[in-house]
Amino acid sequence: MTKSYIVFGRRITAQLTFAIGMALVFIFSLIPAVGILIISFTDIRSLPFLPVRWVGLENYETFFSSAQIGYNVIALRNTFVFAFAVTIFQNVLALLIAVLLNQRLRGRNFARAAVFLPTILGVTVIGLIFTLLFNPSAGPAQQLWGAFGSSSAFFGDPSLAMTLVIVVQVWSGIGVAVVIYLAGLQAIAPELYEVADIDGATSGQKLRHVTIPLLAPAVTANTLLCIIGALQSYQLIYVLTGPINPATQVLSLAIFTQGFGGAQGGTVQSQGYAAAISMVQFVIVAIVSLLSLAYLRRRETVL
Amino acid sequence: MATTMLRGRRARLTTGLITLAVGTSLALAGCAGGAPATSASVPTDTAAVTGELNVLVSSASGSDAGFKAVNDAFAAKYPDVKVNFTAVPNENYNQARSSRLSAGTIDVGLANPKELPSYVPESNKGDDARLADAGGFVDLTDQAFMKKFNPSVLDKIKYAGRNFTVPTGLSYYSGLTYNKKIFADNNIQIPKTWDEFLAVCQQLKDKGITPISIGGKDTGGIVMLSVVQGLYPTAQNKQDLAKGLYEYTVALNTDKQVEVLQKVQQIYTFGQSNFAGSNYNEMTSQFLNGKAAMISDGTWNVGSLRKAEKQVDFGYFPLPASNNAADNANLGGKVELTLAVPTNAKNKDAAMAWLAFFADNYKLFNDKAGFAPSQEGVEGDPFYAEIAPYTKNFEPAWDTIWIANTKAGQAAALPFNWNAVKPMGSMDAQGAADAAQKDWEAGR
């Protein structure tokens, strides 16, 4: 007979707690998700008085139509570039900063707070800060560019806008990644480093053979959070470069502009169409996340 | 047996889940059926008007101040009404309106139902026209207060022969605001043709003055609309163009259509450096600081320019995109914010009383808003008397005539692909026009 473990003293307490948690997931995640799938087959406009018609696959056909596919492929490419670059840079930088902040340094707590600070700032505040910083007429960045005899429109430059948005996204999200890595670093037993010292390992070797393997679960968590977050992110892009800038158009921004008409001068479809883009995005995020998870779990085992 | 029961339970659960999801999504969408009553009247008894009045508009500093002045005066006359005034940024207005309309918490809001010409497929009908068709707005045509407004303006905003909206004023935006002192100091006359305009821009540039300040991030499209006004000067010209495009007898990458983008590209060369990254405030400050001689903007900015700390003596003239001076004689414009009462408004009495009060006290609003007045006999900013020669024949701007094709691609949305032209985008005029034509053809 299997022994049952009673975590909170009474079985009913555990069941009740679980039931409340599941109910919340059901109401706030599962039902809206199924709702989105259903309305993606309608021409819903989210306005009173207007009838809702079942349009079958029409919204999906529009998304993949020859008129929209070019734009959507660019949005998809931008989404992947954005997600890939943010994931790589945010993780590498966060790991280096976490390793540095894990040393006994003077002002370590202040440095940790400073790194975490952008996380608590709102998107609009971050947008305002960087809009001023990269003001093309007289911002500090322009003056710096000027010192090298150059100038730029920054967020208005189609070849530079995406790079800058990635930089801002990494800056704003690095705090959480650093905290996760710091927690992982502090869980590594100091004895392991002592053993490595006795064996004559250099700092680089300790990082490669002790720190990174033992941080693998934190790397998995950070990478997945980063990939999912970046694939769904649009707020910073919206604030920094506007809703219909082709250079920084990503799928989530297309959903927002189509769904809520943020694209002035752009064609505004029904919210059913926005829901269809959401479903396409959901499938992409799910595939990428599951593949990444499988790969990272395998790496954890190897390490 | 147990398996069957489990399957049965799962099936019920799935059905229940789907029903709940459909119900929730449809309820959230607020798709209540049935034709609502579209009539309402202004209460005659002031004391009978009570409760909360929710007013939702899109925000601009001038019009916000105008609405606040009206609200204050209204509150003094109707002390039992609590006015909840909300002004949201332009780009978020549709989102805010959609959720609040569904909740029935708009008593006075904005609407702009547009007639669909016969050549435009029904699928392109806008949300406001659909709402008006479904009886979503109170029909204001026969209200006594509507007689206060200029009949020709009311004619322009009629939908299906009825007036569902109250016009708050007119704006013109196919021109350039210019610094009179810079023009006088450099002995520059207002250019009447394209060649004269290019010569003026070059002269200013040679003197180290930025000819035109452009807000690439916010209002870059005004340049394109101004060029279209000069090349297609009358409403009929624009309607013919729209019809030709929808009937595929006119292409976006040939003739005058590509000339629009070529001229846009030329104008871009006279913008401030890196204007593609400039927002509206940066654009305005370039002009106010005397760094730029002209500004590509609408007359809606008059109120803000007047209120600026640093005063500039300014005027306004049509951007002369044609070499035929007669084609550049008029400014293209639009009827500004148009107010409507949704039929699901919770306090229709107060809404109708507020609109009547607005009509009676229009000057109070417009003195702050700075629009060209929509009521006859109401004096606007002296600026409008100056530009009267350009506005005596009201010409609708291109974006008020054009109805976007939802089946076409994004490059053909307006359908001139102005934001793909360097430095806003990465193409030259012909490349941008070809891309627009490709996207337009794809929607055929």
Side-chain angles (χ1 to χ4, degrees):
Chain A
M1 193 176 166
T2 331
K3 191 181 172 186
S4 62
Y5 290 95
I6 300 171
V7 184
F8 298 106
R10 279 172 173 274
R11 188 188 294 273
I12 186 72
T13 316
Q15 286 173 340
L16 192 67
T17 316
F18 181 75
I20 293 171
M22 281 309 290
L24 289 174
V25 170
F26 232 68
I27 294 167
F28 293 110
S29 292
L30 215 55
I31 291 175
V34 176
I36 291 287
L37 174 65
I38 293 164
I39 67 171
S40 73
F41 298 111
T42 70
D43 68 348
I44 199 163
R45 283 176 182 269
S46 263
L47 288 167
F49 313 117
L50 299 188
V52 179
R53 286 186 310 122
W54 188 263
V55 295
L57 291 172
E58 196 181 297
N59 290 324
Y60 292 92
E61 284 164 9
T62 305
F63 182 86
F64 292 105
S65 70
S66 56
Q68 302 293 341
I69 195 68
Y71 183 79
N72 289 331
V73 164
I74 291 172
L76 200 59
R77 191 192 65 200
N78 286 342
T79 308
F80 280 126
V81 167
F82 181 74
F84 184 75
V86 168
T87 305
I88 297 290
F89 288 115
Q90 191 160 303
N91 273 287
V92 171
L93 283 173
L95 181 60
L96 294 176
I97 293 170
V99 169
L100 189 69
L101 293 181
N102 202 35
Q103 314 295 316
R104 292 185 181 184
L105 300 167
R106 189 179 290 173
R108 185 175 68 169
N109 287 343
F110 174 78
R112 283 180 181 178
V115 169
F116 194 72
L117 185 69
T119 311
I120 56 169
L121 295 176
V123 171
T124 318
V125 176
I126 294 172
L128 187 65
I129 292 170
F130 280 89
T131 302
L132 291 172
L133 206 60
F134 288 100
N135 179 333
S137 47
Q142 192 67 279
Q143 286 169 8
L144 187 68
W145 253 247
F148 295 98
S150 179
S151 76
S152 172
F154 299 116
F155 292 113
D157 181 346
S159 57
L160 188 62
M162 183 52 101
T163 310
L164 287 176
V165 169
I166 290 167
V167 169
V168 179
Q169 179 74 31
V170 169
W171 178 83
S172 65
I174 208 160
V176 172
V178 168
V179 167
I180 293 173
Y181 281 133
L182 269 176
L185 285 170
Q186 282 164 15
I188 299 173
E191 293 82 9
L192 293 171
Y193 290 106
E194 285 169 20
V195 171
D197 283 335
I198 293 166
D199 286 346
T202 62
S203 299
Q205 284 171 323
K206 279 191 280 184
L207 180 71
R208 169 74 188 85
H209 297 291
V210 180
T211 309
I212 291 178
L214 289 170
L215 264 187
V219 172
T220 304
N222 256 340
T223 308
L224 275 180
L225 281 175
C226 211
I227 289 174
I228 296 170
L231 284 173
Q232 295 178 331
S233 171
Y234 72 89
Q235 301 90 330
L236 259 182
I237 298 173
Y238 179 87
V239 174
L240 293 171
T241 64
I244 51 165
N245 191 330
T248 53
Q249 186 62 257
V250 290
L251 271 188
S252 356
L253 188 54
I255 295 167
F256 177 77
T257 51
Q258 297 293 341
F260 297 107
Q264 288 179 322
T267 52
V268 178
Q269 310 265 8
S270 70
Q271 291 193 348
Y273 181 65
I277 311 178
S278 294
M279 292 316 299
V280 173
Q281 189 197 29
F282 169 75
V283 171
I284 292 165
V285 173
I287 292 172
V288 173
S289 308
L290 290 173
L291 287 177
S292 311
L293 184 65
Y295 172 76
L296 290 164
R297 285 277 182 237
R298 215 173 52 226
R299 288 285 302 163
E300 276 181 38
T301 318
V302 172
L303 288 168
Chain B
M1 176 76 177
T3 318
T4 318
M5 276 179 68
L6 199 61
R7 274 189 193 151
R9 247 198 270 166
R10 271 189 194 154
R12 278 202 300 276
L13 186 68
T14 313
T15 316
L17 187 65
I18 291 173
T19 313
L20 192 59
V22 174
T24 313
S25 42
L26 296 187
L28 284 173
C31 57
T38 59
S39 61
S41 55
V42 180
T44 45
D45 179 10
T46 310
V49 184
T50 57
E52 292 196 11
L53 172 72
N54 293 303
V55 181
L56 180 75
V57 296
S58 62
S59 182
S61 60
S63 55
D64 289 355
F67 284 125
K68 277 175 190 151
V70 171
N71 289 338
D72 290 346
F74 181 81
K77 186 176 175 189
Y78 295 91
D80 295 332
V81 179
K82 184 179 176 238
V83 181
N84 299 321
F85 174 73
T86 316
V88 296
N90 228 351
E91 60 274 20
N92 297 332
Y93 186 77
N94 285 347
Q95 184 187 357
R97 191 184 75 153
S98 165
S99 54
R100 287 190 50 179
L101 259 184
S102 300
T105 54
I106 301 178
D107 298 307
V108 176
L110 300 179
N112 183 21
K114 271 163 90 170
E115 296 268 6
L116 212 58
S118 57
Y119 52 82
V120 178
E122 188 74 9
S123 57
N124 297 314
K125 190 178 261 190
D127 284 351
D128 287 357
R130 288 169 197 260
L131 276 172
D133 289 345
F137 299 121
V138 171
D139 185 348
L140 304 171
T141 317
D142 302 324
Q143 298 296 328
F145 63 78
M146 293 299 271
K147 293 190 172 57
K148 299 212 169 235
F149 293 93
N150 188 326
S152 71
V153 176
L154 289 180
D155 258 359
K156 284 177 185 72
I157 54 170
K158 270 194 173 143
Y159 178 77
R162 312 293 295 170
N163 276 114
F164 295 97
T165 57
V166 169
T168 60
L170 300 165
S171 281
Y172 303 93
Y173 45 100
S174 69
L176 296 155
T177 312
Y178 71 102
N179 183 322
K180 287 183 178 173
K181 186 170 182 301
I182 294 181
F183 268 46
D185 289 350
N186 292 283
N187 203 20
I188 293 172
Q189 303 299 312
I190 290 174
K192 301 270 190 254
T193 63
W194 177 248
D195 288 343
E196 284 176 24
F197 174 65
L198 290 183
V200 165
C201 289
Q202 195 56 53
Q203 184 185 341
L204 288 163
K205 200 173 177 179
D206 292 344
K207 294 240 165 126
I209 301 165
T210 300
I212 310 166
S213 183
I214 303 170
K217 256 171 105 177
D218 295 333
T219 49
I222 300 287
V223 174
M224 178 274 289
L225 293 173
S226 305
V227 174
V228 174
Q229 178 59 38
L231 297 183
Y232 303 88
T234 65
Q236 191 58 51
N237 293 150
K238 295 183 193 89
Q239 276 152 7
D240 290 346
L241 171 64
K243 189 167 187 277
L245 284 165
Y246 266 102
E247 290 175 349
Y248 296 94
T249 54
V250 172
L252 284 165
N253 56 349
T254 55
D255 308 321
K256 228 191 264 188
Q257 292 71 254
V258 78
E259 191 184 336
V260 169
L261 293 185
Q262 283 162 348
K263 288 189 167 166
V264 165
Q265 194 174 7
Q266 274 180 287
I267 294 171
Y268 282 169
T269 61
F270 294 112
Q272 76 274 30
S273 61
N274 303 310
F275 71 83
S278 295
N279 61 25
Y280 197 76
N281 289 340
E282 288 155 23
M283 170 189 83
T284 309
S285 72
Q286 289 268 324
F287 180 74
L288 289 172
N289 290 333
K291 288 182 184 163
M294 293 175 275
I295 186 168
S296 171
D297 198 10
T299 57
W300 50 66
N301 207 11
V302 168
S304 307
L305 291 177
R306 289 258 186 267
K307 274 194 286 181
E309 215 169 272
K310 197 167 182 183
Q311 281 296 306
V312 170
D313 187 11
F314 63 90
Y316 198 82
F317 65 88
L319 190 153
S322 168
N323 257 332
N324 175 10
D327 292 345
N328 306 320
N330 294 311
L331 283 167
K334 66 171 179 181
V335 179
E336 265 296 344
L337 311 173
T338 40
L339 302 163
V341 178
T343 43
N344 68 345
K346 290 195 173 123
N347 198 349
K348 240 181 261 181
D349 278 352
M352 296 301 286
W354 189 90
L355 282 184
F357 186 85
F358 177 86
D360 289 343
N361 298 276
Y362 176 71
K363 195 170 179 334
L364 207 57
F365 167 81
N366 204 45
D367 280 351
K368 302 268 185 199
F371 295 148
S374 56
Q375 286 189 357
E376 281 174 315
V378 171
E379 245 180 69
D381 190 289
F383 167 87
Y384 290 104
E386 256 185 74
I387 64 165
Y390 309 127
T391 58
K392 54 177 190 272
N393 299 319
F394 179 83
E395 291 295 347
W398 168 244
D399 59 325
T400 66
I401 286 183
W402 176 246
I403 291 180
N405 184 2
T406 53
K407 296 280 175 224
Q410 290 292 324
L414 263 177
F416 298 103
N417 195 11
W418 58 274
N419 62 351
V421 177
K422 281 180 190 169
M424 296 289 296
S426 47
M427 299 179 189
D428 63 6
Q430 188 64 52
D434 290 342
Q437 179 60 19
K438 188 168 164 253
D439 268 14
W440 183 251
E441 278 285 342
R444 197 165 189 165

